[in-house]
Amino acid sequence: MSDHRSTATTATESGSTSHGAVPDTTIGTLTSLRIPVPGADIHLVGILQSTNHATRRLGIICHGSLGHKNYLFQPMLANSLAPHMDTFRFDFRGNGDSEGQLGYSNWNDDQEDLKAVISHFEGQGYSIYALIGHSRGGISSLNFAATSNHVPLIPYIVSLSSRFHMADVRRKHGPEKMALLEEQGHFDWHAKSAGKEITLRVTRQHFDDFLNFDTAAVAHIPPMTNVLLCHGSDDDVVPVRDICELQSHLSHANTALHIITGADHNYKRRYKEVSQTVANYFSAQGRKAEWTRRIMPNWKAWVHAVGGVLNFRTVGDIWIPSHEGGYVSYLRPGVIYRCADISKPTPEGIKVLEALHITDVFDLRSHSEIERRGTLEADNIRRHHTPVFPEVDYSPAQIAVRFTMYLGGTEGFAQAYMSMMPNVRDFFVPILRHIVDKGTPFIVHCTAGKDRTGIVCALLQMICGVDEEQIAWEYELTSRCMAIKQEDVEFLKNAMGGEASEAKVRGVLSTHEEYMFRFLKEFHEKYGTINEFLMNEVGLTMEQIDAVRDALLVKIPIPRAVL
């Protein structure tokens, strides 16, 4: 059993605290915990900083060599992360207040300590959201992500000032210590840890074990893992070139790199900056910026790929962590495509569609829209007319009603999107049937490719278990497409009797993530989960829902989790 001791909201938890940056105001509650390490007969001591997040996400903060839970910037970092997740910063064995033997090259002990901490908090209902390590703690965090095969996968790894070229540690200790190692087979490392003078004897075996640690194993980190590498430009302990090597070995993963100008290895006088850098990475704005940075090159390639067609892109290339079975799921690109009106592709555009092996198009438009704009004519592509709204709901009067909803901003968009749900059997079931029975690449489109198309794509992603942030961000990509035609502006202005300005009409024809977030919120409040919606409103069985999911997703086994 762990020994739990609640404490007041103060950053001074133990005798080792005074060496860290104490936040002016602590966010949440601090609780000191003692966590047993199975098979080692020792306890690790750490501080849980909790603000009772509903998500139960936990970030584990790992200190560097001879450090401790309150060393350097760690209290400030935990406080900066408090709005985004609970955190636990702890002392590795033999460090700070934790029991056990301090070691020089005891990398396996680091892994066992991490496993003990992770197991404890998962047993408390936490989801391990991030490992955040400084120096040696960063090396151990990266190594855990690469070799532990932990399920579920830990989605975020933050490595601050991590070493890659282990042999460079000779420079850290200096020629005198290296000479002693050669002459007598060991040297004594004198240092101060947690306010105490310590001496650590480093033998030839210890030193060789340190040098032989395989930092290149980071290449085995699964590609859906998000990695932030941070380094100080003035780090004279670990050269900046090490972060470049790490980045090159992590090119397969979702890796971001940040250099803090003027910072040394321990970020002295830069505590606030390094803490805010990490916190910004986990903020909603930071997560979106990283997602956008990764997705934009592919998106730019897709959006102009089909001549004569606006807002064209594939929905996919999304990793979906699984909590069981030793697998992660991957929503492949090149199965679901979405676009605006596809009635007038160029001959070159038709060739692109054929080259993508697209066999079917689901047209969500009304009869009046089709009469006004026409339909796709292609010998090898079958068109299915699956209007979202019955023709009676696409009269000028009904268009005006929905247009008025859109003028209501976020709430209006959500209301308009919810108004599609009663007709879901008519426009959504044929698409699901195609996915299960035929399984070939297909297109779903309406006029602008944003509202009706956006909702269909959102529902498909919900079935696959895609994070709702990504659903909202993917929806918002339409605003980057400039898929607003003047004829559409004039049509909607006329539907409103000319009462709305062109600027308001163009605003209605745009997309913002908050519109999708509000729809998803109202959807869940009314219908529950996507599975409950499909069973209760569409009449599908769980087996049929699983068949759709299985047809869209590729299951990839851990540890490799590569295509």
Side-chain angles (χ1 to χ4, degrees):
M1 292 288 289
S2 298
D3 177 21
H4 294 210
R5 177 173 60 84
S6 296
T7 67
T9 54
T10 170
T12 55
E13 284 297 328
S14 72
S16 60
T17 303
S18 59
H19 302 277
V22 180
D24 294 332
T25 303
T26 300
I27 301 173
T29 301
L30 303 183
T31 305
S32 181
L33 302 177
R34 297 179 71 246
I35 295 176
V37 179
D41 194 28
I42 61 172
H43 287 78
L44 306 174
V45 177
I47 299 171
L48 174 67
Q49 184 160 349
S50 175
T51 54
N52 296 315
H53 288 283
T55 58
R56 298 286 286 171
R57 289 174 172 172
L58 184 75
I60 298 173
I61 300 175
C62 306
H63 62 76
S65 296
L66 305 184
H68 52 81
K69 57 187 172 296
N70 291 317
Y71 189 47
L72 302 174
F73 51 83
Q74 289 184 199
M76 185 175 288
L77 173 59
N79 212 50
S80 297
L81 290 171
H84 312 300
M85 68 187 84
D86 290 354
T87 59
F88 182 70
R89 58 188 194 273
F90 74 101
D91 301 330
F92 283 102
R93 68 180 67 186
N95 292 269
D97 297 318
S98 288
E99 300 165 352
Q101 181 65 43
L102 184 66
Y104 183 81
S105 56
N106 55 334
W107 298 106
N108 289 337
D109 290 346
D110 286 4
Q111 298 302 295
E112 292 304 313
D113 291 353
L114 274 171
K115 287 178 184 177
V117 170
I118 289 169
S119 177
H120 170 82
F121 282 103
E122 287 182 333
Q124 300 296 315
Y126 273 103
S127 169
I128 308 304
Y129 191 57
L131 296 181
I132 305 162
H134 172 237
S135 194
R136 176 177 176 137
I139 297 173
S140 293
S141 296
L142 289 166
N143 187 250
F144 188 90
T147 64
S148 70
N149 303 335
H150 183 265
V151 179
L153 290 174
I154 298 171
Y156 289 93
I157 307 295
V158 177
S159 178
L160 308 169
S161 305
S162 291
R163 188 180 297 280
F164 184 82
H165 296 286
M166 303 300 280
D168 189 57
V169 75
R170 293 189 178 96
R171 182 177 57 84
K172 171 184 174 180
H173 290 300
E176 183 179 336
K177 291 287 194 297
M178 295 299 97
L180 286 173
L181 188 65
E182 291 298 323
E183 293 168 7
Q184 61 188 29
H186 71 268
F187 67 86
D188 290 331
W189 183 15
H190 303 288
K192 181 178 287 187
S193 176
K196 298 176 289 188
E197 298 290 342
I198 65 165
T199 298
L200 185 64
R201 175 152 293 188
V202 181
T203 67
R204 167 60 69 183
Q205 185 64 57
H206 294 152
F207 197 75
D208 288 346
D209 288 345
F210 187 95
L211 264 57
N212 292 328
F213 183 81
D214 184 15
T215 53
V218 296
H220 297 290
I221 290 178
M224 73 291 299
T225 307
N226 301 280
V227 180
L228 171 63
L229 301 176
C230 192
H231 217 92
S233 67
D234 294 355
D235 190 337
D236 59 358
V237 176
V238 178
V240 175
R241 65 185 172 90
D242 281 41
I243 195 176
C244 297
E245 289 284 352
L246 274 172
Q247 185 185 34
S248 70
H249 282 74
L250 287 163
S251 59
H252 65 291
N254 298 325
T255 307
L257 183 149
H258 191 91
I259 304 292
I260 296 184
T261 303
D264 64 11
H265 185 68
N266 290 332
Y267 300 93
K268 290 180 180 177
R269 296 183 299 279
R270 295 288 194 280
Y271 288 174
K272 185 174 182 179
E273 187 173 353
V274 69
S275 299
Q276 201 56 55
T277 296
V278 177
N280 288 343
Y281 179 74
F282 285 105
S283 68
Q285 184 178 6
R287 292 193 304 272
K288 182 179 179 182
E290 276 303 304
W291 180 86
T292 302
R293 180 183 66 82
R294 294 195 298 269
I295 205 73
M296 287 306 292
N298 287 335
W299 173 81
K300 287 179 179 178
W302 281 116
V303 73
H304 299 300
V306 181
V309 180
L310 294 173
N311 201 7
F312 184 88
R313 61 188 188 268
T314 183
V315 178
D317 192 17
I318 301 172
W319 292 99
I320 303 149
S322 171
H323 286 258
E324 57 187 1
Y327 289 86
V328 293
S329 295
Y330 179 68
L331 177 56
R332 294 172 296 151
V335 177
I336 306 168
Y337 291 91
R338 57 177 294 178
C339 63
D341 170 30
I342 196 172
S343 59
K344 297 179 178 65
T346 63
E348 293 76 15
I350 290 288
K351 290 179 181 178
V352 172
L353 296 177
E354 292 175 345
L356 293 172
H357 303 293
I358 292 168
T359 62
D360 294 76
V361 170
F362 293 89
D363 187 344
L364 306 177
R365 300 174 299 164
S366 67
H367 286 292
S368 59
E369 288 175 288
I370 291 169
E371 290 173 1
R372 183 163 58 91
R373 307 187 68 139
T375 60
L376 171 69
E377 294 183 8
D379 294 338
N380 299 318
I381 301 175
R382 181 183 178 189
R383 173 182 167 270
H384 308 264
H385 187 209
T386 52
V388 169
F389 294 107
E391 194 59 30
V392 67
D393 286 341
Y394 229 88
S395 64
Q398 288 301 315
I399 292 174
V401 169
R402 281 196 298 281
F403 186 75
T404 302
M405 291 181 188
Y406 292 135
L407 287 175
T410 300
E411 184 57 44
F413 269 85
Q415 184 182 0
Y417 292 167
M418 287 295 288
S419 71
M420 302 179 192
M421 295 303 100
N423 305 326
V424 70
R425 287 175 181 261
D426 297 326
F427 68 85
F428 196 52
V429 170
I431 297 172
L432 300 182
R433 190 176 298 120
H434 168 87
I435 290 169
V436 174
D437 295 344
K438 196 169 182 180
T440 54
F442 66 94
I443 293 173
V444 56
H445 82 94
C446 52
T447 295
K450 76 179 192 75
D451 295 319
R452 289 163 289 181
T453 300
I455 291 303
V456 168
C457 291
L459 293 173
L460 290 173
Q461 291 176 83
M462 289 165 73
I463 291 172
C464 293
V466 175
D467 185 273
E468 292 189 353
E469 278 189 335
Q470 290 197 49
I471 294 174
W473 298 337
E474 197 282 331
Y475 159 83
E476 193 179 66
L477 279 179
T478 289
S479 284
R480 297 177 178 267
C481 295
M482 302 300 292
I484 301 175
K485 292 184 177 180
Q486 187 60 35
E487 61 183 286
D488 297 326
V489 174
E490 296 301 326
F491 177 79
L492 286 175
K493 283 181 67 177
N494 292 333
M496 286 296 294
E499 296 177 10
S501 67
E502 181 164 326
K504 285 188 175 181
V505 171
R506 287 185 174 274
V508 166
L509 292 173
S510 65
T511 54
H512 298 287
E513 64 175 42
E514 60 264 27
Y515 301 163
M516 181 57 69
F517 281 130
R518 180 61 67 87
F519 162 71
L520 293 170
K521 180 177 182 292
E522 295 192 10
F523 177 94
H524 292 308
E525 288 176 351
K526 182 170 183 178
Y527 298 113
T529 66
I530 184 65
N531 289 344
E532 290 170 334
F533 171 75
L534 293 172
M535 288 188 288
N536 297 332
E537 305 299 322
V538 183
L540 299 186
T541 65
M542 197 63 232
E543 289 75 16
Q544 290 173 315
I545 298 170
D546 286 338
V548 175
R549 188 178 294 114
D550 291 343
L552 290 174
L553 297 177
V554 178
K555 288 187 176 180
I556 302 175
I558 300 171
R560 287 302 302 165
V562 294
L563 294 179

